[in-house]
């Protein structure tokens, strides 16, 4: 063991403990295991609870050890010892004896868990930590259990399998009042479903005492359950309906109702009036309500007629996406209710002239269906002396050819049906996704409620899968049109266009949408760089000629959002072949493992959750985005503070150059909390920041060396108490006399740094190779690929 550590731990010498921070991390890296073992012995002493000196020594040593582990990247080598310390802490009472006063073992446990869960993506660390950490949920220390809940929520992202083993303990903790832990349930449901399903009644009972994010997590779980065990949720429909008025929860509730209604539509008959009122008051939920009403129409002929009347009454609406969904539901109802289609075909046909291409195609299909039903009716009549027609089906490649007539090589007598079944291609299977749930279910579950001919059955099944219909020479009239194979992304966008636009409208006021994303070829791997643009770009704009960049650690979420933003700005649903979507796909696949095709899965999944959005905000906070940009509600875009508040920075600029001077308190170095503040007079003028030292010498800090500037706050919304400057090898912390002075210094420094970077960019004239051209909402290329300079130089 290091000599200084030995003196501090063996003699409990608090006076030497501060010197531990003068030791280099690499110097003590090999001594951390015996140090942790020595700390464990002190923690496990009976007099530790009353010995303030020992407590202070242990706290300082733990801080130094965890810092060294973090800096040397040696968490996997020391995770076992850290977990052993947690087990020691669990032997003692962790409940606070007085308000806001944690027991000493609880403090140490919090520090150790903080170190461990910084590495939540490392399976080896989490496999040791999670089984021990979950036991802290049993204690009554609210602060500690809240911290544990946060750590487990983070760990669930990459360690759902491990955490799912403790779902019973997690549920019991939630029911005891730790509602925040409900955010873990959607992550672990698929790994261990039954305990959550068994607790539906209890989890439903606590919805009203949870906050919005916790309720959203519970409804996410209920939505997952509705896909496998929908009937279990039926007793709670009344409770769920209370949250249809919530803008945050209504979409989750309705998606769950769609799955439940598909399984048992009778459960929603009594709720039809309230659902129709919701669709009228909140058009964004119209599509889900239509799907529920379509499912109810499959119960019997009376409900089918009522559903059809409602669908036809809505055909005058302007939303083309909603019209397409209505026509799909009409198509589903008409399979077993041919007369309803015949009664309303005139009204439906009016859309042939005014609807979108998707709407016109569906109208044509409905007309063809009506002809088909008439032909089937004639085919099912008693055979007469003249030649009767049969239907034979052969599968050739990726299409099914259905021939009407009596082929010369038919192996069956006239009037029979010959069908050869072969495996469908993947593209044909995927095209079935364009059919509404009520259509898929009605074709299989309710087929025999009404007598239909064999030909009718085959035709309806094959047509619903986009097959090709070939009519023989004995048929009169034009051939029926083929229903094309649908693009999965395009269908998703058509179905959810309104929801996408509403989501982006709300989301963009909270988090900015990148103007570009780029594939950067790093030394060891490729990664995604995001480019943000000022929405105003006025004369003095900080980023008028450049971008604010972020190297993201969550590229999938950002690309998902860029996809939604592009679609929200488009007047029609975009497909995978659209250049903008194709570019984003290329960007994502460049950083994915070879052979993976995850783009379709990501962009057609549910919108980013509140937790996903919080991760994006954390990234933006890390690079101090919100110190530079803010949302302009009047113009509905993000702009830099110079463009948003030109009146505030006018006094700080002389001939366009930032100038500010004054006394600041300053610290620099690694262990600033061990150092004293030094008061000096600083001057910022253009590209240089100067200050006077005690010996009257002037020192200069070139602005070109400043990598970033950030205001120091306790919380995101708190008033800044200081600001920090980061260079390549040094960190400076400054205090000014008041909040206004701090903001002025931060603003001036941001302007100076941006101006220097803009000049450097003009000199370097960095070249970027664009992906296939496309225009995004900000009229910029969406995706760029930046190559290492050495590679580009050789090509030039």
């Amino acid at each position: 063991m290091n000599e200084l550590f030995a003196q501090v731990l063996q003699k409990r010498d608090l006076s030497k403990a501060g010197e531990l921070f003068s030791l280099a991390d690499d110097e003590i890296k090999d001594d951390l295991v015996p140090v942790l073992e020595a700390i464990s012995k002190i923690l496990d002493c009976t007099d530790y609870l009353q010995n303030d000196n020992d407590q202070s020594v242990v706290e300082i040593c733990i801080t130094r050890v965890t810092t060294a582990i973090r800096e040397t990247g040696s968490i996997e080598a020391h995770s076992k010892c850290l977990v052993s310390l947690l087990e020691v802490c669990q032997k003692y009472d962790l409940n606070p004896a007085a308000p806001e006063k944690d027991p000493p073992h609880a403090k140490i446990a919090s520090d150790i868990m903080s170190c461990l869960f910084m590495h939540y993506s490392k399976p080896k660390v989490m496999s040791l930590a999670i089984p021990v950490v979950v036991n802290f949920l049993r204690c009554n220390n609210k602060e500690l259990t809240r911290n544990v809940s946060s750590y487990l929520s983070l760990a669930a992202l990459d360690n759902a399998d491990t955490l799912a083993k403790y779902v019973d303990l997690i549920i019991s903790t939630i029911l005891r009042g730790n509602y925040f832990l409900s955010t873990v349930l959607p992550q672990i449901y698929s790994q261990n479903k039954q305990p959550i399903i068994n607790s539906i009644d209890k989890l439903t009972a606590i919805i009203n005492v949870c906050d919005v994010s916790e309720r959203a997590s519970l409804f996410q779980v209920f939505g997952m359950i509705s896909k496998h065990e929908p009937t279990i949720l039926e007793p709670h429909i009344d409770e769920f309906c209370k949250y249809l008025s919530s803008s945050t929860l209504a979409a989750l509730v309705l998606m769950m109702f769609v799955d439940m209604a598909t399984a048992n539509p009778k459960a929603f008959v009594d709720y039809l009036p309230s659902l129709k009122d919701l669709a009228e008051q909140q058009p964004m939920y119209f599509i889900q309500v239509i799907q529920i009403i379509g499912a109810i129409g499959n119960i019997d002929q009376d409900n089918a007629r009522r559903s059809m009347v409602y669908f036809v009454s809505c055909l005058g609406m302007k939303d083309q996406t909603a019209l397409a969904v209505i026509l799909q539901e009409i198509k589903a109802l008409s399979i077993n209710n041919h007369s309803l289609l015949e009664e309303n075909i005139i009204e439906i046909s009016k859309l042939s002239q005014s609807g979108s291409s998707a709407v016109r195609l569906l109208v044509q299909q409905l007309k063809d269906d009506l002809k088909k039903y008439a032909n089937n009716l004639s085919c099912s009549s008693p055979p007469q002396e003249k030649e009767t027609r049969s239907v034979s089906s052969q599968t050739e490649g990726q299409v099914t050819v259905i021939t009407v007539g009596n082929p010369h090589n038919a192996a069956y007598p006239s009037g029979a049906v010959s069908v050869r079944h072969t495996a469908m291609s993947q593209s044909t299977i995927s095209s079935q996704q364009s059919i509404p749930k009520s259509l898929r279910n009605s074709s299989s579950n309710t087929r025999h409620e009404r007598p239909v001919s064999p030909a009718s059955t085959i035709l309806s099944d094959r047509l619903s899968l986009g097959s090709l219909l070939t009519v023989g020479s004995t048929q009169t009239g034009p051939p029926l049109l083929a229903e094309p194979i649908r693009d999965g992304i395009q269908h998703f966008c058509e179905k959810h266009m309104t929801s996408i636009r509403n989501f982006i409208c709300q989301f963009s006021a909270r988090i900015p949408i990148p103007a570009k994303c780029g594939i950067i070829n790093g030394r060891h791997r490729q990664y995604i760089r995001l480019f943000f643009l000022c929405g105003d770009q006025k004369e003095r704009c900080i980023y008028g000629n450049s971008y604010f960049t972020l190297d993201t650690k969550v590229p999938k979420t950002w690309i998902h959002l860029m996809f939604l933003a592009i679609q929200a700005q488009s007047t029609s649903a975009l497909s995978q072949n659209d250049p903008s979507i194709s570019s984003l796909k290329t960007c994502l696949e460049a950083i994915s493992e070879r052979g993976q095709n995850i783009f379709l899965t990501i962009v057609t999944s549910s919108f980013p959750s509140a937790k996903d959005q919080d991760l994006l905000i954390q990234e933006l906070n890390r690079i101090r985005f919100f110190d530079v940009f803010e949302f302009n509600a009047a113009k509905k875009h993000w702009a830099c503070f110079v463009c948003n508040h030109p009146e505030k920075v006018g006094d700080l600029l002389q001939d366009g150059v930032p100038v500010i001077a004054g006394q600041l308190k300053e610290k620099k170095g690694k262990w600033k909390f061990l150092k004293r503040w030094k008061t000096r007079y600083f001057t910022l003028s253009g590209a240089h920041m100067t200050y006077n030292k005690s010996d009257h010498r002037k020192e200069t800090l070139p602005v070109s060396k400043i990598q970033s500037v950030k205001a120091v706050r306790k919380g995101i919304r708190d008033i800044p108490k200081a600001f920090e400057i980061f260079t390549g090898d040094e960190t400076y912390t400054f205090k000014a006399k008041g909040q206004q002075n701090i903001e002025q210094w931060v603003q001036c420094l941001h302007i100076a740094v941006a101006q220097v970077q803009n000049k450097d960019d003009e000199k370097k004239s960095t070249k970027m190779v664009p992906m296939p051209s496309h225009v995004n909402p900000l009229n910029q290329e969406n995706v760029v690929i930046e190559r290492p300079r050495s590679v580009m130089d050789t090509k030039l």
Side-chain angles (χ1 to χ4, degrees):
M1 186 189 303
N2 179 274
E3 184 179 349
L4 183 56
F5 260 118
Q7 183 176 354
V8 171
L9 290 171
Q10 292 172 7
K11 298 182 179 180
R12 316 291 201 270
D13 191 345
L14 186 58
S15 63
K16 295 288 185 180
E19 298 179 15
L20 293 173
F21 295 96
S22 64
L23 300 174
D25 296 320
D26 291 333
E27 183 181 346
I28 62 174
K29 181 176 67 173
D30 297 332
D31 297 321
L32 295 182
V33 170
V35 167
L36 288 170
E37 291 173 350
I39 292 174
S40 178
K41 292 179 181 178
I42 299 174
L43 277 175
D44 210 7
C45 291
T46 54
D47 64 339
Y48 178 76
L49 292 170
Q50 290 76 35
N51 194 319
D52 293 339
N53 182 80
D54 286 4
Q55 293 174 17
S56 298
V57 167
V58 168
E59 288 177 14
I60 292 174
C61 289
I62 285 290
T63 301
R64 185 65 190 94
V65 168
T66 54
T67 301
I69 291 174
R70 182 179 67 249
E71 295 296 329
T72 58
S74 57
I75 184 64
E76 292 183 339
H78 300 101
S79 55
K80 187 174 182 180
C81 290
L82 291 172
V83 171
S84 297
L85 286 180
L86 291 179
E87 291 174 329
V88 171
C89 292
Q90 289 175 353
K91 296 180 182 179
Y92 296 86
D93 186 9
L94 300 172
N95 301 322
E100 300 184 0
K101 187 177 181 181
D102 274 335
H105 288 92
K107 294 178 183 178
I108 299 302
S110 294
D111 290 342
I112 295 172
M113 285 189 286
S114 176
C115 178
L116 286 168
F117 283 89
M118 284 180 64
H119 307 277
Y120 66 90
S121 60
K122 295 184 181 295
K124 182 179 178 181
V125 177
M126 291 296 101
S127 64
L128 293 171
I130 289 175
V132 175
V133 170
V134 292
N135 292 320
F136 285 102
L137 295 173
R138 304 179 192 276
C139 72
N140 295 320
N141 187 325
K142 290 184 178 180
E143 182 68 26
L144 183 61
T145 53
R146 184 162 53 245
N147 290 338
V148 171
S149 300
S150 298
Y151 295 138
L152 294 179
S153 178
L154 191 63
L157 296 173
D158 293 309
N159 306 276
D161 290 339
T162 303
L163 197 56
K165 300 174 184 177
Y166 307 95
V167 65
D168 291 313
L169 176 57
I170 290 172
I171 292 173
S172 65
T173 305
I174 294 171
L175 298 177
R176 288 205 318 268
N178 187 355
Y179 304 126
F180 177 79
L181 201 56
S182 60
T183 57
V184 173
L185 295 180
Q187 308 290 340
I188 63 176
Y189 171 76
S190 58
Q191 280 76 22
N192 196 354
K193 299 178 181 143
Q194 201 55 47
I196 300 176
I197 293 174
N198 294 342
S199 304
I200 282 294
D201 295 341
K202 296 177 181 178
L203 292 173
T204 305
I206 66 170
I207 296 178
N208 63 325
V209 294
C210 295
D211 65 22
V212 175
S213 64
E214 294 157 359
R215 288 174 181 173
S217 297
L218 289 174
F219 276 112
Q220 285 180 33
V221 175
F222 298 157
M224 295 176 181
I225 294 173
S226 69
K227 298 182 185 303
H228 307 287
E229 301 283 347
T231 55
I232 293 178
L233 298 167
E234 290 177 6
H236 307 291
I237 294 178
D238 284 335
E239 179 68 21
F240 296 153
C241 285
K242 296 177 183 177
Y243 300 98
L244 289 174
S245 58
S246 168
S247 59
T248 306
L249 303 174
L252 292 171
V253 176
L254 285 172
M255 286 190 289
M256 175 177 64
F257 281 177
V258 169
D259 289 325
M260 294 171 65
T262 303
N264 181 21
K266 293 181 180 179
F268 288 88
V269 172
D270 295 337
Y271 300 94
L272 263 181
S274 59
L275 289 172
K276 290 178 180 179
D277 289 342
L278 176 66
E280 184 176 349
Q281 297 167 8
Q282 302 287 341
M284 68 183 74
Y285 305 130
F286 181 80
I287 290 176
Q288 288 90 344
V289 172
I290 284 292
Q291 291 173 325
I292 295 171
I293 295 174
I296 292 173
N298 287 320
I299 296 175
D300 52 39
Q301 288 191 352
D302 290 337
N303 280 292
R305 182 169 297 278
R306 283 191 286 269
S307 294
M308 182 67 80
V309 169
Y310 180 75
F311 292 157
V312 173
S313 70
C314 296
L315 292 178
M317 66 189 313
K318 296 181 179 180
D319 188 335
Q320 298 298 307
T321 303
L323 281 176
V325 175
I326 293 172
L327 293 173
Q328 287 177 326
E329 294 298 336
I330 290 176
K331 185 178 177 72
L333 281 180
S334 65
I335 289 178
N336 297 304
N337 301 275
H338 306 334
S339 60
L340 293 180
L341 179 59
E342 184 177 0
E343 292 170 8
N344 295 281
I345 193 63
I346 296 176
E347 193 67 27
I348 294 170
S349 297
K350 294 179 181 178
L351 295 174
S352 297
Q353 305 301 323
S354 59
S356 65
S357 58
V359 169
R360 293 196 301 271
L361 177 62
L362 284 166
V363 171
Q364 182 62 45
Q365 289 175 5
L366 288 170
K367 291 179 180 179
D368 294 342
D369 284 350
L370 193 59
K371 295 177 183 178
K372 175 191 65 179
Y373 298 145
N375 289 337
N376 292 338
L377 185 62
S378 63
C379 287
S380 61
S381 59
Q384 300 180 9
E385 293 182 2
K386 63 181 180 179
E387 180 186 9
T388 56
R389 294 183 298 168
S390 66
V391 179
S392 65
S393 174
Q394 295 182 349
T395 301
E396 299 177 359
Q398 296 185 3
V399 296
T400 300
V401 181
I402 302 176
T403 307
V404 180
N406 204 8
H408 62 85
N409 59 347
Y412 296 90
S414 178
V417 178
S418 171
V419 179
R420 187 179 73 204
H421 293 284
T422 60
M424 289 190 298
S425 66
Q426 187 62 35
S427 60
T428 306
I429 296 173
S430 64
S431 70
Q432 191 181 13
Q433 296 173 357
S434 66
I435 306 170
K437 291 185 178 181
S438 55
L439 175 58
R440 293 199 292 270
N441 286 346
S442 62
S443 64
S444 59
N445 297 337
T446 61
R447 184 175 295 161
H448 302 294
E449 292 181 6
R450 180 174 178 174
V452 293
S453 67
S456 171
T457 301
I458 293 177
L459 285 168
S460 63
D461 281 353
R462 296 302 184 192
L463 283 173
S464 69
L465 293 177
S467 55
L468 180 68
L469 183 65
T470 305
V471 184
S473 58
T474 57
Q475 185 195 11
T476 60
L480 298 182
L481 296 178
E483 184 176 328
I485 295 174
R486 301 293 305 282
D487 180 279
I489 289 180
Q490 187 175 29
H491 172 64
F492 173 84
C493 293
E494 285 179 353
K495 185 176 181 181
H496 301 287
M497 181 72 79
T498 303
S499 300
I500 291 173
R501 287 173 178 163
N502 291 331
F503 173 80
I504 288 297
C505 182
Q506 297 174 4
F507 174 89
S508 59
R510 184 175 181 229
I511 300 176
I513 305 295
K516 296 182 181 181
C517 68
I519 307 166
I520 308 300
N521 293 322
R523 181 175 299 177
H524 302 295
R525 61 180 179 83
Q526 291 183 319
Y527 58 91
I528 296 294
R529 176 169 294 168
L530 305 175
F531 300 81
F532 296 90
L533 198 63
C534 175
D536 275 337
Q537 293 191 313
K538 294 180 179 178
E539 182 181 356
R540 293 179 175 176
C541 178
I542 302 178
Y543 291 95
N545 299 317
S546 63
Y547 293 94
F548 187 98
T549 61
L550 161 64
D551 294 340
T552 180
K553 295 182 180 178
V554 283
K556 295 177 183 177
T557 307
W558 281 113
I559 288 179
H560 189 184
L561 288 170
M562 292 180 72
F563 164 81
L564 295 174
I566 294 168
Q567 180 56 70
Q569 294 292 326
S570 176
T571 56
S572 60
L574 302 176
S575 71
Q576 294 188 64
N577 296 326
D578 186 271
S580 57
I581 306 303
S582 177
S583 298
L584 282 178
K585 182 179 179 182
T586 302
C587 197
L588 181 60
E589 289 177 348
I591 62 166
S592 304
E593 293 183 12
R594 184 171 298 178
Q596 284 190 341
N597 185 12
I598 60 174
F599 183 75
L600 177 63
T601 304
I602 289 175
V603 300
T604 58
S605 63
S606 58
F607 298 157
S609 64
K611 184 185 295 183
D612 294 330
Q613 296 177 38
D614 288 342
L615 290 175
L616 303 188
I617 291 176
Q618 289 175 19
E619 277 207 327
L620 293 170
N621 276 322
R622 174 173 55 81
I623 61 169
R624 316 312 300 177
F625 177 90
F626 299 106
D627 287 347
V628 185
F629 290 87
E630 64 182 42
F631 184 71
N632 189 319
K635 297 181 180 180
K636 296 184 178 180
H637 63 217
W638 288 82
C640 69
F641 63 81
V642 173
C643 293
N644 275 333
H645 306 288
E647 72 285 353
K648 290 186 179 181
V649 299
D651 296 336
L652 303 177
L653 301 176
Q654 295 181 9
D655 298 327
V657 175
V659 176
I660 190 172
Q663 281 192 342
L664 297 174
K665 293 182 177 179
E666 175 260 343
K667 284 184 180 182
K668 68 177 179 179
K670 193 171 183 180
W671 305 107
K672 291 187 290 294
F673 65 92
L674 297 176
K675 299 181 180 180
R676 294 182 179 180
W677 291 99
K678 295 178 182 179
T679 302
R680 290 170 173 165
Y681 192 85
F682 287 82
T683 302
L684 172 65
S685 179
H688 299 281
M689 184 175 181
T690 61
Y691 60 93
N692 296 323
K693 300 192 75 171
S694 57
D695 56 1
H696 304 293
R697 288 188 299 108
K698 279 194 174 184
E699 291 288 336
T700 300
L701 173 62
V703 173
S704 59
K705 290 187 177 181
I706 297 177
Q707 295 180 348
S708 62
V709 181
K710 75 172 184 179
V712 180
R713 300 176 173 90
K714 286 187 177 179
I716 296 175
R717 301 296 180 189
D718 292 342
I719 295 172
K721 303 294 185 183
F723 66 94
E724 292 180 333
I725 293 176
F726 301 90
T727 65
D729 52 4
E730 203 67 85
T731 302
Y732 299 83
T733 303
F734 299 93
K735 279 187 179 180
K737 287 186 176 180
Q739 175 196 356
Q740 185 176 1
N741 286 337
I742 291 173
E743 289 179 346
Q744 289 177 346
W745 274 99
V746 171
Q747 289 167 358
C748 277
L749 283 164
H750 276 304
I751 296 172
V753 171
Q755 288 180 348
V756 170
Q757 289 177 348
N758 287 342
K759 290 179 181 178
D760 290 343
D761 289 341
E762 290 174 3
K763 293 177 182 178
K764 295 177 182 177
S765 62
T766 303
K767 297 178 175 62
M768 290 188 179
V769 181
M771 293 294 291
S773 58
H774 121 269
V775 179
N776 79 344
L778 293 174
N779 294 325
Q780 301 290 330
E781 295 167 349
N782 178 277
V783 181
V784 295
I785 301 179
E786 183 176 322
R787 295 187 172 91
R789 178 165 295 277
S790 58
V791 175
M792 296 186 68
D793 287 344
T794 57
K795 290 189 176 182
L796 292 174

